[in-house]
Amino acid sequence: TSGSNLGLTSIHRKPYRSEPPSTMKSVSELLVGSAGFFGKTFYHQSIIPVVFVTAFLAWRARPATTEQIPKDFRMFQVCYLFVWAFCVASDWLQGPYVYALYSQYNFS
């Protein structure tokens, strides 16, 4: 009966192939393609140097201390910063969608 299907379509799996398909790009092709990405605009050209400068300045700005930081606190700190960075990155990724939403409602 049509009720047993519940409106779901069947999933067709492609057979497994051990060799990569001809549409797969090699590593060298990907690197050449990324050069096109980084050469598009000033933003694309500056993102990698800005990341390195920011990481260097953050490393230099850390407080110098002679006392030992407890190992448990260091583990907490690394875990906290990992989760914090993940949350900030996810918030950053939603930016274009919020912009599109505002533009759709004619906010400037």
Side-chain angles (χ1 to χ4, degrees):
T1 66
S2 64
S4 64
N5 191 8
L6 299 175
L8 300 175
T9 59
S10 62
I11 298 174
H12 299 285
R13 292 186 180 203
K14 295 180 181 178
Y16 176 75
R17 297 189 298 178
S18 60
E19 73 278 353
S22 61
T23 58
M24 295 283 293
K25 294 183 178 181
S26 68
V27 173
S28 62
E29 290 174 328
L30 289 174
L31 291 175
V32 170
S34 66
F37 170 79
F38 290 115
K40 289 185 178 182
T41 65
F42 175 74
Y43 171 77
H44 291 96
Q45 291 173 351
S46 64
I47 189 69
I48 298 298
V50 166
V51 166
F52 283 122
V53 167
T54 302
F56 175 74
L57 291 175
W59 181 75
R60 293 280 297 157
R62 73 187 195 286
T65 180
T66 57
E67 65 184 61
Q68 290 289 344
I69 298 173
K71 186 177 179 179
D72 290 337
F73 178 75
R74 179 63 71 185
M75 288 175 31
F76 167 76
Q77 189 178 31
V78 168
C79 181
Y80 177 85
L81 290 176
F82 177 76
V83 172
W84 175 82
F86 182 77
C87 292
V88 168
S90 65
D91 186 49
W92 180 76
L93 287 174
Q94 78 178 358
Y97 299 103
V98 173
Y99 175 78
L101 181 68
Y102 284 160
S103 66
Q104 185 177 6
Y105 287 111
N106 296 325
F107 290 128
S108 58

